[in-house]
Amino acid sequence: MMTRRLLQLLTGLAMYGISLAMFIRAGLGLDPWDVFHQGLANRTGLSIGVVVIIVSFLVLLLWIPLRQMPGFGTLCNAVLVGVFADVGLALLPAVNHLAGQIGLLAGAVLVNAIASACYIGAGFGPGARDGLMTGLARRTGWSVRVSRTLIEVTVLAAGWLLGGSVGVGTVVYALAIGPLVHALLPRFVVRPSVPPVPAGSPELCS
């Protein structure tokens, strides 16, 4: 069970980073956090993967006043998504025709949804940004929806001002990712196996 969880976690994080590279190569807009990451990368000259890692650890500092504790998966998420985003960008060529861009965008959304279901289902702790959302909701009494909207509107606006890519892909991601993860997550949640009940036990005799 632990081996499956670890493999699922690492596979999910690798796929998440690759999906970010696919969004960038599609050139039709990014999700709110990655608009922010791309804007920072454009302004600093750092690779987007390095920016993702730095922002992840800065966000984890915000967990301290929220009294959040990172899990093993949280720390893996903070490092590996950025690493695989840069790997994906090194491997994927730029796409310059609209049909290819649309196909790459659709693939990016699907890969991102599968990746999210994988690492969430592994049960090793939320990513830094998801933990910020849930921690803020718990500490303020706001709903998770309000907390997420406030955070994502803020980073989207900041990323756009920094020159990050906002477009139809941003809207498609916002509309599609929730329903896709909701549908996929039950297939990836790792539940502990239940040991067989010995014959003659009270459970069988009751």
Side-chain angles (χ1 to χ4, degrees):
M1 187 67 67
M2 182 59 70
T3 300
R4 177 191 163 177
R5 291 175 65 202
L6 286 170
L7 287 174
Q8 187 171 304
L9 171 70
L10 297 177
T11 301
L13 296 178
M15 291 175 66
Y16 201 101
I18 296 297
S19 74
L20 169 52
M22 294 170 69
F23 275 113
I24 292 173
R25 291 297 187 230
L28 296 174
L30 306 175
D31 70 274
W33 274 105
D34 290 327
V35 172
F36 181 62
H37 297 145
Q38 187 185 53
L40 284 177
N42 291 342
R43 293 303 181 99
T44 62
L46 297 172
S47 73
I48 195 163
V50 171
V51 170
V52 168
I53 293 170
I54 292 172
V55 170
S56 294
F57 281 100
L58 291 176
V59 170
L60 284 176
L61 293 178
L62 298 176
W63 283 31
I64 297 173
L66 297 175
R67 298 179 183 176
Q68 290 271 99
M69 286 295 293
F72 173 72
T74 308
L75 299 177
C76 289
N77 186 308
V79 176
L80 293 180
V81 170
V83 169
F84 280 98
D86 280 349
V87 170
L89 287 171
L91 295 176
L92 294 172
V95 179
N96 298 316
H97 50 90
L98 183 59
Q101 290 176 291
I102 293 172
L104 198 54
L105 173 63
V109 173
L110 181 59
V111 171
N112 189 278
I114 296 171
S116 299
C118 277
Y119 86 76
I120 293 170
F124 281 109
R129 295 152 188 78
D130 291 333
L132 177 63
M133 171 188 66
T134 56
L136 184 64
R138 190 184 69 252
R139 294 289 289 172
T140 61
W142 299 339
S143 69
V144 170
R145 179 179 299 179
V146 168
S147 298
R148 177 169 183 164
T149 300
L150 176 63
I151 292 169
E152 294 197 350
V153 167
T154 300
V155 297
L156 177 63
W160 178 72
L161 290 173
L162 290 169
S165 176
V166 178
V168 65
T170 309
V171 178
V172 170
Y173 182 88
L175 295 176
I177 195 64
L180 283 172
V181 174
H182 179 78
L184 290 168
L185 188 56
R187 301 175 182 270
F188 290 94
V189 172
V190 182
R191 295 179 176 85
S193 57
V194 179
V197 179
S201 67
E203 288 85 353
L204 291 179
C205 297
S206 59

